Amino acid sequence: MHRFANPARFLRLSALLLPWCAGATVILTILGLWFSLFSSPPDYQQGETVRIMYIHVPAAWMSLFVYTNMAIAAACGLVWKHPLADLFAKAAAPIGAGFTFVCLVTGSLWGAPMWGTWWVWDARLTSVLILFFLYLGYMALVNAFDDPQRGMKAGNVLLLVGIVNVPIIKFSVDWWNTLHQPASVVRMGGPSIDPSMLTPLLVMAGAFTAYFLSVVMLRVRTEIAQRKIQTLRLSVASGVAGDGAVSDGMQG
Amino acid sequence: MNEFLHMGGYAAYVWPAYGIATLVLLGLLVATWKGLRNAEATLKALESARPARRRTRNGSNSTGRKAADQTAGTPAEASEG
C-alpha cells in the first residue's frame, strides 16, 4: 500500500484509471436510469414511489461507504503519516456529504406519500442526519487551522470518533423500533427483494461508486496541486528555492 | 408518455427525487472540475516563474521574486477552500 501513497505515482495511476471510471459512470448511469424508470415494475403496495428507492438506497450505501473509507484513510494518515491518505479524506468529504444529503432529501420525498410525514426523529433518520453533520463538521474542522497539517490531524481524529455512527446506522432498524423498514438487500439469508427491483438498485449503486471514484480522483489531484502551490509559495516567501516539485507534506 | 410523467399520481415526489440527485452530483462534478483547472493554472504560473528566479539568483534577486508573487496572487485565492 505504501507504494501507492506516493503522490507522483498516484498522479500517473489516476490519469490511467480516470477515463475508465468516467466511462463506467456514464454507461452505468444510463443503464441504471433505464432500469429504474422504464424496465422495472411499480411496487404492489407503494406504486410508482418505489422508483425513489433506486436513488435513495444507493445514496445511503454511498454515504456509509465513503465515510468508512475516509475513516480508514484517517487511521492511515494518523499512524503512518501518509500525506495522500489525508488528502483522500479531505477530497472525499464533500462527495460523501452530497450523497448523504441526497439520501436524506429523497427519503423525505418518499416518506411524505408513504408514511404520511416528511420527517420523524426515529433512530435511522436521526443517525443518518448525524452522519451528515459529521461530514460537515469534518470539512469545517480541516479548514479551520492556519496550518493544514494540524487541521488534517484534528479532522482525522473526528473521523475515527465518528465511525461508531456507521454500525449504529446499519443496525438502527434492528435495535430500535423505527418507522424505517429493515434491510432487504444486505441481510442474513440473502436479499428479500425481487430481481426486477434488485437489478436497477445494484446498477445504480455501481454508477454511484464509479462516480465517486472519478470525482475523488479529480479532487485528490486538485489537493496535490494545492500542496505544491503551498510549498512553492513558502519557498518563494522564505527566499529558499527548495525542491518543492512534489510536495509530500512529511515535514509536519 | 404522459402516463410515464404522471408516475401514477406520485410525480411530485418521484421527479424531485431524481432532480435533486442529478443537481447535487452534477454540481459537485462541475465544482471539482473548476477547482482542478484553477489549481493547475496557478501551479503552472508559479512553476514558470521559478526558473527565472533561479537564473537571477546571483544577480538581483528581487525581479524574479516579484514575478512569482504576482503570478501567485489572484487565481489561487478563488481556488482555495
Side-chain angles (χ1 to χ4, degrees), chain A residues 116-135:
Chain A
T117 177
W118 296 94
W119 184 263
V120 280
W121 291 102
D122 89 348
R124 173 56 76 81
L125 279 69
T126 309
S127 54
V128 174
L129 186 66
I130 290 172
L131 179 71
F132 183 56
F133 290 150
L134 277 171
Y135 276 119

Side-chain angles (χ1 to χ4, degrees), chain B residues 3-74:
Chain B
E3 198 185 325
F4 171 68
L5 288 178
H6 193 241
M7 275 290 155
Y10 293 116
Y13 302 102
V14 175
W15 294 120
Y18 279 80
I20 279 167
T22 312
L23 223 69
V24 168
L25 296 185
L26 278 185
L28 255 170
L29 180 65
V30 170
T32 299
W33 190 253
K34 277 188 175 165
L36 178 61
R37 293 204 21 195
N38 246 333
E40 280 180 343
T42 310
L43 184 62
K44 215 172 166 188
L46 275 174
E47 276 176 346
S48 65
R50 243 161 57 100
R53 209 186 104 71
R54 274 197 174 144
R55 274 199 302 277
T56 57
R57 182 183 271 179
N58 297 327
S60 70
N61 206 348
S62 59
T63 49
R65 191 182 296 183
K66 214 172 199 173
D69 283 347
Q70 276 168 353
T71 47
T74 42

Side-chain angles (χ1 to χ4, degrees), chain A residues 28-29 31-41 50-51 53-55 57-58 61 193-208, chain B residues 18:
Chain A
L28 286 172
T29 304
L31 257 178
L33 285 176
W34 164 258
F35 275 122
S36 51
L37 289 173
F38 297 98
S39 98
S40 63
V50 76
R51 300 194 194 284
M53 174 175 75
Y54 306 130
I55 300 286
V57 173
W61 285 343
I193 181 172
D194 191 78
S196 65
M197 291 180 177
L198 187 60
T199 311
L201 207 52
L202 293 180
V203 175
M204 281 305 250
F208 280 11
Chain B
Y18 279 80

Side-chain angles (χ1 to χ4, degrees), chain A residues 88-112:
Chain A
F88 170 81
K90 193 183 174 201
I95 315 174
F99 278 124
T100 315
F101 178 75
V102 167
C103 171
L104 286 167
V105 173
T106 55
S108 222
L109 284 163
W110 198 4

Side-chain angles (χ1 to χ4, degrees), chain A residues 127-205:
Chain A
S127 54
V128 174
L129 186 66
I130 290 172
L131 179 71
F132 183 56
F133 290 150
L134 277 171
Y135 276 119
L136 297 187
Y138 169 80
M139 283 153 66
L141 190 59
V142 163
N143 290 317
F145 290 82
D146 287 333
D147 175 9
Q149 297 297 324
R150 288 186 62 203
M152 289 292 192
K153 202 167 179 184
N156 286 347
V157 172
L158 175 69
L159 284 176
L160 285 181
V161 171
I163 193 76
V164 290
N165 195 31
V166 169
I168 291 178
I169 291 175
K170 168 71 184 140
F171 296 110
S172 57
V173 283
D174 304 323
W175 292 343
W176 292 284
N177 211 350
T178 67
L179 194 52
H180 196 283
Q181 60 174 313
S184 49
V185 179
V186 187
R187 65 192 273 277
M188 302 282 281
S192 62
I193 181 172
D194 191 78
S196 65
M197 291 180 177
L198 187 60
T199 311
L201 207 52
L202 293 180
V203 175
M204 281 305 250

